[in-house]
């Protein structure tokens, strides 16, 4: 299985099992009633083979008993490579080679850290926590290491960015768009455009993110108070048209819900 396909399956599985998502602290694993500490060598004995004491895996140093998922994690299972080790990186990348089945999460993207968060929540909700793995994320006393603190900070930052992006999408939903060599580009807004159902359609505008040199087409609300401002506060009834990061399309009427840019 290719790394990209595997990663997609992991993420889709997490989304299906976890539902609509979690809050900023939702990724935290519930504290285990047991505080067992395992070494890397001890954990390696729990791969579910005949004569071995059980079937465990670890995510960010948290160890879970996945015996009830034996058909997935046991010998011959699709995810057997995850058993008996902390292969946190693979949960984000889908790389099930020996080089990818590791616990190093440094330099992962925000999206990949969110994938790890989702799987950590999944295992916490569906499997019994066993203890902690002494190594990258916990020291010999079971205390968090700097590597774990950095990983947790990265997850918190990714969750914050995700929340801000979702809010931005509600304020400035993407336009519908199409292009043809004969007619050029067409951008238009509707009450469903951008996959953000709403009570208004808006008008197309170019949105420049801070520091970005290119723009993207978004739909902008044309009436009411600016985003986040109560309707009770005096306003100019122009919605978000005066946002400084917006720019009109040349040759397009300021109030048109559709813009056609010919080649």
């Amino acid at each position: 299985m290719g790394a990209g396909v595997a990663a997609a399956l992991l993420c889709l599985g997490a989304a299906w099992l976890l539902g609509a998502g979690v809050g900023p602290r939702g990724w935290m694993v519930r504290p285990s009633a047991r505080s067992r500490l395992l070494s890397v060598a001890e954990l390696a004995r729990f791969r579910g083979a005949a004569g071995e004491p059980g079937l465990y895996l670890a995510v960010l140093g948290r160890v879970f008993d996945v015996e009830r998922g034996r058909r997935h994690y046991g010998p011959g299972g699709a995810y057997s490579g995850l058993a008996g080790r902390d292969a946190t990186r693979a949960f984000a990348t889908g790389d099930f080679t020996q080089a990818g089945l590791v616990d190093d999460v440094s330099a992962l993207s925000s999206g990949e850290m969110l994938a790890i968060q989702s799987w950590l929540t999944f295992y916490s909700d569906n499997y019994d926590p066993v203890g902690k793995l002494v190594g990258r994320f916990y020291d010999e006393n079971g205390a968090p290491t700097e590597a774990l603190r950095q990983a947790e900070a990265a997850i918190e930052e990714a969750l914050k960015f995700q929340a801000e992006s979702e809010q931005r999408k509600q304020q400035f939903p993407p336009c519908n768009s199409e292009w043809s060599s004969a007619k050029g580009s067409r951008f238009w807004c509707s009450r469903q455009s951008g996959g953000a159902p709403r009570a208004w359609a808006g008008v197309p505008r170019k949105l420049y993110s801070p520091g970005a040199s290119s723009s993207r087409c978004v739909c902008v609300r044309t009436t009411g108070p600016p985003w986040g401002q109560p309707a009770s506060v005096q306003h100019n009834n122009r919605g978000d048209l005066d946002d400084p990061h917006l720019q009109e399309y040349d040759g397009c009427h300021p109030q048109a819900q559709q813009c056609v840019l010919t080649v």
Side-chain angles (χ1 to χ4, degrees):
M1 178 182 292
V5 174
L9 290 174
L10 282 171
C11 293
L12 286 173
W16 180 77
L17 289 162
L18 291 170
V22 295
R25 287 285 179 178
W27 62 274
M28 293 283 194
V29 176
R30 292 191 303 269
S32 172
R34 304 169 64 183
S35 57
R36 179 179 178 184
L37 297 178
L38 292 88
S39 68
V40 172
E42 287 175 311
L43 181 59
R45 297 175 54 237
F46 287 81
R47 293 181 174 166
E52 292 187 341
L55 184 57
Y56 294 172
L57 61 73
V59 183
L60 283 182
R62 301 292 182 101
V63 183
F64 298 92
D65 184 337
V66 293
E67 180 61 42
R68 67 171 63 102
R70 171 171 285 274
R71 69 189 182 95
H72 302 296
Y73 305 107
Y79 301 127
S80 59
L82 302 172
R85 69 175 89 202
D86 187 329
T88 300
R89 190 178 185 88
F91 286 97
T93 65
D95 181 358
F96 292 105
T97 66
Q98 288 304 305
L101 291 168
V102 295
D103 58 2
D104 182 5
V105 298
S106 61
L108 291 182
S109 68
S110 294
E112 289 169 329
M113 294 306 293
L114 286 177
I116 292 172
Q117 165 262 318
S118 295
W119 279 103
L120 189 57
T121 303
F122 166 69
Y123 285 110
S124 177
D125 288 345
N126 293 276
Y127 292 98
D128 295 329
V130 174
K132 301 171 183 176
L133 177 64
V134 176
R136 183 180 296 272
F137 301 113
Y138 292 96
D139 65 20
E140 61 275 9
N141 298 313
T145 64
E146 180 61 25
L148 180 59
R149 285 190 285 271
Q150 290 179 359
E152 290 178 338
I155 290 174
E156 290 284 1
E157 187 64 26
L159 287 166
K160 179 181 178 182
F161 178 78
Q162 182 185 56
E164 291 174 348
S165 297
E166 183 59 32
Q167 178 177 319
R168 198 68 166 168
K169 181 180 178 181
Q170 293 300 316
Q171 181 182 7
F172 294 125
C175 303
N176 294 311
S177 64
E178 64 179 10
W179 179 88
S180 71
S181 58
K183 297 181 179 180
S185 300
R186 181 168 76 99
F187 304 104
W188 74 100
C189 294
S190 69
R191 294 187 177 187
Q192 300 288 329
S193 56
R198 54 197 184 275
W200 50 274
V203 296
R205 289 289 189 274
K206 290 187 284 187
L207 175 66
Y208 289 88
S209 299
S213 59
S214 60
S215 64
R216 58 189 178 90
C217 183
V218 298
C219 295
V220 181
R221 190 166 46 87
T222 61
T223 61
W227 179 268
Q229 179 177 308
S232 58
V233 176
Q234 186 176 1
H235 57 83
N236 58 12
N237 196 35
R238 284 175 51 82
D240 292 308
L241 288 174
D242 298 321
D243 188 288
H245 299 112
L246 297 173
Q247 183 177 323
E248 295 179 8
Y249 281 97
D250 293 337
C252 183
H253 191 279
Q255 294 296 323
Q257 292 185 0
Q258 172 179 281
C259 289
V260 177
L261 307 178
T262 57
V263 293

